């Protein structure tokens, strides 16, 4: 077999008579300290390191060489047990997280959860982010934590079926919960509030042993949050073959003509050609205006197409726009966006050129919302925000369009984002792509009473409670386990007691939340009932 000389192989349980001529090969035991020591010796930037457990078979070095020439920074063949995904901590502090989902075993998809038994990594990942943590007992937990750290820092980890095929015998890999390692994971990545919540929920439900849980809690108390670094790459700012990108912009509108005019004018000033701007207008007849006249189309050279929708609903409207557009790339924007830089779409396209993404998501600032962190410029996206996302049209054809059952509801873009992720697409959230979302006080979904209370407003206003909408719960039941949705409901109730401010404001919020608790539980129960009814209707049809 042939493998590039810049690839080093670190093996576990390898046979004594193994002969790998011309290969840098090191044999170690599968334990924390040996793996840590091996990683410490990785100093060659630009190279690759393969970790392989020979218990699962011989590595196919040709497949590994093929993998390192595909997109990503980490390639692995670990497919987790869906019913027992470790660490379980995420099910309690971050339930219904898109990146905790598992796609099809037979397709390549983004997956941060890997072990060191069939994994290839760029050396730069270790050089920039550091080593695994020696505070774990089980090396698998150490690998999961490192993967979680990677995806938070901008690394792209990819599950490859070709590497999983080699894993013939994995009966010895059944994951077992380790209370100590669960607490170590939380100490490194969470706050004391969520650690306490995890301990309360897992002990009260019998998921972990009371004695072991409390013992591990105090035994790990000295561990501090890890300092996550930013993973950087040498990326070009020059877009090659710009003519191959045929871009359609889709904007849906309802009751926001003046805002819409501003968005179109800023899109007309982009420094690269746009094939078309499609406006799907759902305003009733007596409120309609001539949009082309409003924007003075004769002064611009980008065609603006107006489609009138008889159905008022953001999913139906966007689907109409997708089916009517001619572009190979679709930019979704809201009708109340502002401060769109002239090179905005150009920089979206750089993500397609540099990182071979399928979806590039911008990160707008929101009016009257909490500040947006921009520490990590390019990370795997766990959202699909239709106020500023550029997507390949063929990806939408593969994953399906917007779910029309969510018309006039909330989180329809997140639901489609889940299906895009499960289809194996690479979605990047680029915090350098800044715009301003004005969050118009009228029109759009606010016409139906939705999105009036946001997470930010619930953390700033004593009387605001941010509970998941019926359609939000519908998508959770559609894609996640019922126990995960239960945890989400409990966290939503817990969130009604939270506010940002001084101790007086916090005390007042707790009093109000406690007083409203029976109504909160009743309202949340009603929404869950309606969401499950939607799921039942789908299955019956």
């Amino acid at each position: 077999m042939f493998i590039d000389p810049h690839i080093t192989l670190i093996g576990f349980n390898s046979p004594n008579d193994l002969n790998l001529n011309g290969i840098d090969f090191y044999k170690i035991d599968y334990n924390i300290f040996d793996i840590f020591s091996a990683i410490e010796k990785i100093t060659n930037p630009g190279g690759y390191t393969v970790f392989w457990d020979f218990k699962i078979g011989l590595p196919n070095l040709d497949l590994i060489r093929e993998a390192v020439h595909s997109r990503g920074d980490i390639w692995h063949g670990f497919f987790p047990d869906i019913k027992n995904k470790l660490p379980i901590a995420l099910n309690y502090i971050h339930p219904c997280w898109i990146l905790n989902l598992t796609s099809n075993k037979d397709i390549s998809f983004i997956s941060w959860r890997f072990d060191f038994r069939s994994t290839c990594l760029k050396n730069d990942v270790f050089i920039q982010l550091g080593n695994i943590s020696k505070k774990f007992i089980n090396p698998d937990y150490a690998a999961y934590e490192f993967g979680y750290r990677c995806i938070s820092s901008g690394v792209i980890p990819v599950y490859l079926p070709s590497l999983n095929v080699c894993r013939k015998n994995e009966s010895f890999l059944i994951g077992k919960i380790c209370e100590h390692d669960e607490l170590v994971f939380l100490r490194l990545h969470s706050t004391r509030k969520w650690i306490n919540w995890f301990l309360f929920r897992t002990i009260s439900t019998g998921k972990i042993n009371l004695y072991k849980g409390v013992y591990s809690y105090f035994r790990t108390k000295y561990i501090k949050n890890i300092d996550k670094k930013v993973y950087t790459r040498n990326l070009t700012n020059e877009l090659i073959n710009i003519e191959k990108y045929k871009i359609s912009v889709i904007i849906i509108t309802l009751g926001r003509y003046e805002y819409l005019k501003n968005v179109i004018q800023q899109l007309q000033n982009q420094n690269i050609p746009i094939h078309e701007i499609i406006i799907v207008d759902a305003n009733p007849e007596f409120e309609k205006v001539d949009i082309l006249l409003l924007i003075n189309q004769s002064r611009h050279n980008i065609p603006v197409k107006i489609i009138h929708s008889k159905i008022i609903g953001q999913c139906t409207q966007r689907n109409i726009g997708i089916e009517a557009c001619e572009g190979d790339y679709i930019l979704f924007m809201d009708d109340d966006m502002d401060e769109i830089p002239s090179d905005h779409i150009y920089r979206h396209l750089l993500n397609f050129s540099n990182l071979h993404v399928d979806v590039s998501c911008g990160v707008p600032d929101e009016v009257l919302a909490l500040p947006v962190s921009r520490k990590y410029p390019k990370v795997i996206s766990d959202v699909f925000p239709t106020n500023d996302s550029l997507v390949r049209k063929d990806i939408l054809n593969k994953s399906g369009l917007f779910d029309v059952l969510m018309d006039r509801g909330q989180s329809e873009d997140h639901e489609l984002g889940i299906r895009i992720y499960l289809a194996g697409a690479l979605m990047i959230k680029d915090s350098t792509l800044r715009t301003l979302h004005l969050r118009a006080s009228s029109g759009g979904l606010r016409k139906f009473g939705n999105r009036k209370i946001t997470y930010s407003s619930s953390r700033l206003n004593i009387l605001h409670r941010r509970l998941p909408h019926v359609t939000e719960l519908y998508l959770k039941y559609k894609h996640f386990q019922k126990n995960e949705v239960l945890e989400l409901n409990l966290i939503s109730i817990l969130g009604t007691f939270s506010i940002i401010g001084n101790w007086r404001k916090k005390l007042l919020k707790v009093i109000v939340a406690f007083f409203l608790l029976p109504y909160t539980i009743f309202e949340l129960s009603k929404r869950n009932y309606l969401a499950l009814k939607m799921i039942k209707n789908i299955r019956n049809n």
Side-chain angles (χ1 to χ4, degrees), residues 4-8 24 42-50 68 73 75 120-127 231:
D4 290 339
H6 59 276
I7 296 180
T8 300
D24 290 335
I42 297 173
T43 58
N44 174 28
Y48 302 86
T49 299
V50 176
V68 302
D73 306 296
W75 306 268
C120 177
L121 305 90
K122 289 182 178 178
N123 291 349
D124 287 337
V125 173
F126 289 122
I127 292 169
Y231 184 70

Side-chain angles (χ1 to χ4, degrees), residues 80 117 167 172 186 213 276 308 338 361 450 463 499 529:
R117 292 185 170 90
R167 301 177 72 137
F172 65 98
L186 285 172
E276 61 188 353
H308 297 287
D338 197 10
C361 305
N450 292 329
L463 298 177
I499 196 169
Y529 170 78

Side-chain angles (χ1 to χ4, degrees), residues 382-417:
D382 55 2
V383 291
F384 177 62
T386 45
N387 54 15
D388 182 18
S389 286
L390 184 64
V391 56
R392 282 174 35 205
K393 187 177 181 179
D394 64 309
I395 292 297
L396 294 177
N397 293 332
K398 183 178 178 182
S399 62
L401 306 186
F402 289 90
D403 186 341
V404 294
L405 288 178
M406 302 183 76
D407 266 344
R408 304 190 187 189
Q410 295 180 196
S411 298
E412 77 291 338
D413 47 0
H414 185 52
E415 194 281 327
L416 178 55

Side-chain angles (χ1 to χ4, degrees), residues 125-131 133 135 145-146 148-150 152-153 185 187-190 223-231 375-376:
V125 173
F126 289 122
I127 292 169
Q128 292 189 38
L129 302 190
N131 210 324
S133 172
K135 297 177 176 66
E145 184 280 322
F146 188 76
Y148 185 79
R149 197 191 325 165
C150 284
S152 305
S153 301
F185 180 89
R187 296 286 185 192
L188 292 173
H189 293 283
S190 196
I223 299 174
K224 306 297 182 185
N225 268 179
I226 198 164
D227 179 25
K228 286 186 284 190
K229 298 178 173 61
V230 179
Y231 184 70
K375 178 180 178 181
Y376 302 97

Side-chain angles (χ1 to χ4, degrees), residues 351-533:
N351 288 328
F352 286 83
S353 176
N354 287 324
L355 301 175
H356 308 291
V357 305
D358 301 301
V359 183
S360 174
C361 305
V363 183
D365 282 327
E366 305 264 351
V367 171
L368 300 178
L370 297 172
V372 175
S373 171
R374 300 186 186 276
K375 178 180 178 181
Y376 302 97
K378 298 179 193 293
V379 297
I380 300 297
S381 183
D382 55 2
V383 291
F384 177 62
T386 45
N387 54 15
D388 182 18
S389 286
L390 184 64
V391 56
R392 282 174 35 205
K393 187 177 181 179
D394 64 309
I395 292 297
L396 294 177
N397 293 332
K398 183 178 178 182
S399 62
L401 306 186
F402 289 90
D403 186 341
V404 294
L405 288 178
M406 302 183 76
D407 266 344
R408 304 190 187 189
Q410 295 180 196
S411 298
E412 77 291 338
D413 47 0
H414 185 52
E415 194 281 327
L416 178 55
I418 290 175
R419 283 186 280 123
I420 290 173
Y421 165 73
L422 292 176
L426 170 56
M427 298 192 294
I428 287 291
K429 181 167 58 179
D430 187 344
S431 63
T432 68
L433 289 168
R434 181 203 171 273
T435 53
L436 179 64
H437 190 194
L438 297 174
R439 298 195 66 85
S441 58
S442 61
L445 288 180
R446 285 168 188 79
K447 209 156 188 171
F448 308 104
N450 292 329
R451 291 183 180 164
K452 289 188 174 180
I453 296 179
T454 64
Y455 174 86
S456 293
S457 70
S458 71
R459 296 306 189 264
L460 298 171
N461 189 305
I462 290 171
L463 298 177
H464 281 194
R465 295 169 305 133
R466 171 67 174 93
L467 299 176
H469 188 269
V470 172
T471 51
E472 288 181 78
L473 291 166
Y474 158 75
L475 84 84
K476 304 303 183 187
Y477 282 114
K478 185 177 178 180
H479 294 289
F480 295 91
Q481 303 291 323
K482 280 191 176 182
N483 64 303
E484 293 176 274
V485 185
L486 170 63
E487 296 302 325
L488 178 71
N489 280 305
L490 293 174
I491 288 175
S492 298
I493 295 172
L494 192 67
T496 64
F497 290 81
S498 298
I499 196 169
I500 298 172
N502 57 38
W503 70 269
R504 293 182 183 86
K505 195 173 183 180
K506 290 180 178 179
L507 178 60
L508 188 57
K509 179 77 171 185
V510 169
I511 293 171
V512 170
F514 186 77
F515 179 76
L516 293 174
L517 184 58
Y519 176 71
T520 298
I521 296 173
F522 170 76
E523 180 63 28
L524 199 53
S525 300
K526 183 174 73 173
R527 295 183 186 188
N528 276 269
Y529 170 78
L530 294 173
L532 286 168
K533 192 174 180 181

